[in-house]
Amino acid sequence: MATESATAALVRKSPRRRNSTRTLAVFGALLLLLAAVLLSLAVGSRSLPLSTVVDALLRDDGSIASSVIWDVRVPRTLAGIAAGAALGVAGALIQALTRNPLADPGLLGINAGAAAGVVVSITVLGLTSLWASVWFAMAGAVLAGLLVYALASGGRAGATPERLALGGAVIAAVFTGIGQTLMLLDAQALDQLRFWSVGSLARADGETLTTIAPFVGVGLLLALGLVRPLNALALGDDGARALGAHVDRTRFAGLLAVTLLCGAATSAVGPLVFVGLAVPHIARMIAGADQRWTLPLSMLIAPALLLFADVLGRVVVRPDELDAGVVTAVIGAPVFIALVRHRRVVGT
């Protein structure tokens, strides 16, 4: 009897203990993000002491160090936070919506739509400003998302995970073909897009941030509002309906959130690989498959990872720089392979 009572008590305590571990993980991710932010503000072609960084943030005295921090590094760091959070949450959403742990933000054709929008703005309309690129990339992302949902929702079954993945593959191929054709016909556009297509935080400025901030904010709020129905979807469509979840409404809202998040991030910094794929796996390894914890952790870990990659790119070939997209690809691929080889892929 004593043993049974002890076992029962342990079972009752385990959820509380698990939530305590998850809470600690969130605080740890916050500290990691804070460290990444400080490094991003302090490290570059000209590194600055942390005391100088803190003084400049508290009081802009017009010095060279203050100008470097406020005019260059603060916008770059904020762009990394916004784009990283958007890609991390978008990756977790896509993996939950499609019930595919290997899905990433490019699966639904959103990145291809954004890239095609940038190509059209340069080649067809002759608009070369960053402002125009951001807005046309968002337009292309939204159009791609709408077309994917229109393709997937046809028929009696509705927008099933399989239909979403197949529809995304078709739309991605179409938009990629359009973009590549236009680039081959315009050498100037090809030269300009060569840098954008790698993925970099270097071009981010205040105007970029004010443009993408509303889209990222709405996308994150919409994603966090879907955590309970997403947990229900993990049981399958029938199981989700039995729990009272609106399956089609949840998938549409999730796709809308992914479109806003991926479109905003891609338009600002270009397509960044492995962030949206690997970070949700890390979050699920820490907190399990509960979306109430996976999405917030992804929102914190992804920008920290992106900022660390950006800082590393500034110092490895100093005084030149490696784009963040190159660093995430070089580091992310072997890290993700190691995760898959040494631990099972954590399901959504």
Side-chain angles (χ1 to χ4, degrees), residues 84-181:
L87 291 173
V89 172
L93 270 179
I94 292 173
Q95 291 173 13
L97 289 172
T98 61
R99 296 200 290 271
N100 179 1
L102 296 179
D104 73 339
L107 180 69
L108 299 183
I110 308 299
N111 289 349
V118 175
V119 174
V120 169
S121 72
I122 295 174
T123 59
V124 179
L125 302 176
L127 302 174
T128 58
S129 67
L130 184 60
W131 181 87
S133 296
V134 169
W135 278 105
F136 274 86
M138 279 302 309
V142 171
L143 178 60
L146 291 175
L147 290 175
V148 168
Y149 190 79
L151 283 176
S153 59
R156 294 182 179 180
T160 63
E162 295 80 7
R163 285 173 173 267
L164 284 173
L166 290 173
V170 171
I171 296 301
V174 170
F175 276 107
T176 299
I178 292 173
Q180 289 181 347
T181 300

Side-chain angles (χ1 to χ4, degrees), residues 21 29 39 43 83 103 132 134 142 152 154 164 167 172 175 188 198 244 247 254 263 272 277 281 301 303 311 338:
T21 302
L39 279 176
V43 177
V134 169
V142 171
L164 284 173
F175 276 107
Q188 180 184 2
V198 175
V247 174
L272 292 166
L277 174 62
H281 284 281
I301 296 173
V311 169

Side-chain angles (χ1 to χ4, degrees), residues 168-330:
V170 171
I171 296 301
V174 170
F175 276 107
T176 299
I178 292 173
Q180 289 181 347
T181 300
L182 291 175
M183 282 193 295
L184 290 175
L185 296 175
D186 191 325
Q188 180 184 2
L190 180 61
D191 186 60
Q192 291 184 7
L193 287 164
R194 191 160 46 94
F195 300 99
W196 179 85
S197 62
V198 175
S200 173
L201 303 180
R203 292 199 311 159
D205 57 16
E207 186 179 10
T208 305
L209 290 170
T210 55
T211 302
I212 69 168
F215 298 104
V216 174
V218 172
L220 291 176
L221 289 175
L222 185 57
L224 293 175
L226 292 173
V227 290
R228 292 188 182 276
L230 286 175
N231 281 338
L233 278 182
L235 302 175
D237 290 3
D238 293 336
R241 291 190 181 96
L243 293 175
H246 298 277
V247 174
D248 291 335
R249 187 187 306 173
T250 299
R251 287 208 177 100
F252 177 78
L255 182 59
L256 176 60
V258 169
T259 300
L260 293 173
L261 294 171
C262 286
T266 304
S267 65
V269 301
L272 292 166
V273 297
F274 286 108
V275 177
L277 174 62
V279 167
H281 284 281
I282 298 172
R284 286 195 296 271
M285 287 177 180
I286 297 171
D290 190 341
Q291 299 298 331
R292 293 175 299 175
W293 296 94
T294 300
L295 290 183
L297 273 174
S298 298
M299 187 168 58
L300 295 173
I301 296 173
L305 172 66
L306 182 54
L307 289 178
F308 280 128
D310 186 47
V311 169
L312 184 61
R314 300 180 206 176
V315 299
V316 292
V317 290
R318 198 182 267 176
D320 295 323
E321 288 189 13
L322 278 178
D323 291 326
V326 175
V327 179
T328 57
V330 170

